[in-house]
Amino acid sequence: MMNQKMLSPILIVTLCLSALASAADGKLQDAQAQQSRVWTPEEIGKGTFSQRPDKSLVYKTVDNKGEPAELKLQVFLPKGHQASDRRPAAVFFHGGGWRGGTPDHMYPQCRYLALRGMVAISVQYRTIKVFGTTPKECVKDGKSAMRWVRTHAAELGIDPSRIVAGGGSAGGHIAAATALVEAFDEAGEDASVSCRPGALVLFNPVFDNGPQGFRNSLVREYWRDISPIDHIDGNTPPTFVILGTKDKHIPVETAKRFERLMKENGRRCDLHLYEGRKHGFYNIWEDRNALADTMIRMDRFLSSLGYLEGDPALVLATDGNKPDAQASQPAKKANAVEPSFKDVSYGAHKKELMNFWQFKSENPVGVLLQIHGGGWMGGNKDETLRPHQIKNGYSVASISYPLVNEGAQQPEMLNAALRSVQFLRYKAKEWNINPQRIVVTGGSAGGCSSLLVALHDDVANPKSSDPVERFSSRVAGAMVAGAQTTMNPFVIKQRIGAKTFDNPMPYKAFGAETAQDLMDNWDTYKALSEKCSPITHLSKDDPPLHLYYNVMREFPTTKGGNGIHSPIFGEIMLEACQEMGVECHLQYWQKDEGRPKPAISRQQFLNKLLLK
């Protein structure tokens, strides 16, 4: 038998090891719980979504008008982080046109990625207003920061092979320059340490510094050396870009050119265009929901590259998903009404989902089918409605569908819209639907899809093995806003103006790189473009239409955002309907004085088709 005195040290060691293991397990569970939480836009910057950095580190000392000045990194750490970790990292650069700005600009993105398990860093760099320097020094500091982080990866708990660079506006330029620009290394710095990131995450970034590019006057003497778009090659890292279509600093066409050059070099570029949004729309002080949406998309991009795992940790304010039940819950969206049936699959594609709000009635009632806009590139179905929207005597349905930015191409969007009508008829008995009273509605691309459904020949196939396909796709009418009535680029150019093509919808959905590509190769694209042009399908037996446009009529259009929603699209349809004898009502924007008014309002139009 072993001596009892000999057991004591063994027991003590065992107990100590058990205690350490328990503590480690507790920390791991805390970290896992933190990373499994879901936040809402309202919680950004509050509580556990704090925008306060966890530490500040000096990465460089520079001259500031004769005095030494320290440049710092603001570091955000994931829960349970240890120096021995090998975490992926993200290094962000703030905007400010190279003239000003501060690191807190990118704090929401940094904290979000830290909550998702990455080490995130926001960089202070020299700006014109504070240091009297030039854009060259901005790029030098960006490269220095990337090299410092990589050199100190071991003490930061970072995997040096998995570092992302990102930024907004001029900060996006700096991030892109660390990957693409060979010039402007800091003198005396070890250039053998790579400053190139493994991926780029860019928010309305400055791509082009050429003669027509951003603030060329500041870089005129060396613009070719500092302009990222002029240095894309086969080694450019995968890139994520978000941009508003009304950004006055970064033209959509520039982003499209960047995307095209990336693809020509066999590189990945995920371009997300936000319809009608201006420069900086994603900032926390502008729109929290937009900020959350851009970060969710950033999350999915990084997850696809292996930098993140699991689902995004944000949920949009209109989503039906709920944050962690143990988390402090913000107030729900005022008077939000959840669907009676949520995320019902109406087709084979994962995006073919329908929400349905059922109007309670003893007798079958009509349905207003909503198709969201977004240029067929983005957007999503409604997740909640206001109470008044479901008290009109008819039910409401809203659909999502395949998107161009997720790999889809026409006629997938058209086919999804047609099938959604057939699906409603398939569900008519279960959902108490009057199949003769289905009206489609939508704005912009959703309006175009609605018109396509209203004017398209019936696609019912009574002999199909798919029971949904046996039902009619015809509707009682369409009420749309800002809808495109033709996709013919020559008609658009002649009747509305070439600036319409600043919005890529008229060509991207058909697989063309540019509007010019579409027109130069019209024989290739003509059949598909015309198939997806509502006016092509117009015939005498078509249902009534109501078209509304909320931008001023101008010819030629001076802005892509106006052109793609021009009331001239409505005039084109009205002319054709009058010639064909189809009921059509055209309503102009109220500020567009002197234009004819429709004989019937939009609500009267709906009531006529859905209630009487």
Side-chain angles (χ1 to χ4, degrees), residues 402-415:
L403 299 172
V404 173
N405 282 355
E406 297 171 353
Q409 185 176 305
Q410 284 288 20
E412 289 181 76
M413 294 75 93
L414 166 59
N415 292 339

Side-chain angles (χ1 to χ4, degrees), residues 18-84:
S18 297
L20 289 170
S22 297
D25 287 343
K27 287 182 179 180
L28 179 60
Q29 290 171 1
D30 287 345
Q32 289 173 338
Q34 183 76 49
Q35 291 171 27
S36 65
R37 255 211 60 179
V38 177
W39 286 262
T40 64
E42 290 77 12
E43 293 178 289
I44 298 173
K46 304 172 184 176
T48 53
F49 210 124
S50 168
Q51 292 191 68
R52 181 175 297 175
D54 297 305
K55 64 167 66 176
S56 181
L57 301 170
V58 176
Y59 75 95
K60 188 175 183 179
T61 301
V62 297
D63 176 77
N64 185 12
K65 302 169 187 176
E67 297 292 331
E70 296 178 337
L71 299 179
K72 296 181 178 181
L73 307 176
Q74 305 303 324
V75 184
F76 293 73
L77 300 172
K79 183 103 172 181
H81 172 267
Q82 297 179 2
S84 58

Side-chain angles (χ1 to χ4, degrees), residues 178-237:
T178 66
L180 292 165
V181 172
E182 295 294 332
F184 313 117
D185 292 312
E186 192 66 78
E189 204 163 78
D190 184 2
S192 67
V193 178
S194 175
C195 64
R196 290 175 67 91
L200 290 171
V201 177
L202 308 178
F203 297 76
N204 50 228
V206 175
F207 288 125
D208 182 12
N209 301 114
Q212 305 302 317
F214 181 80
R215 291 189 175 167
N216 174 260
S217 60
L218 294 177
V219 298
R220 185 172 293 125
E221 295 179 0
Y222 51 86
W223 72 263
R224 290 186 187 276
D225 293 328
I226 205 169
S227 180
I229 201 168
D230 293 285
H231 297 275
I232 295 171
D233 60 22
N235 296 314
T236 304

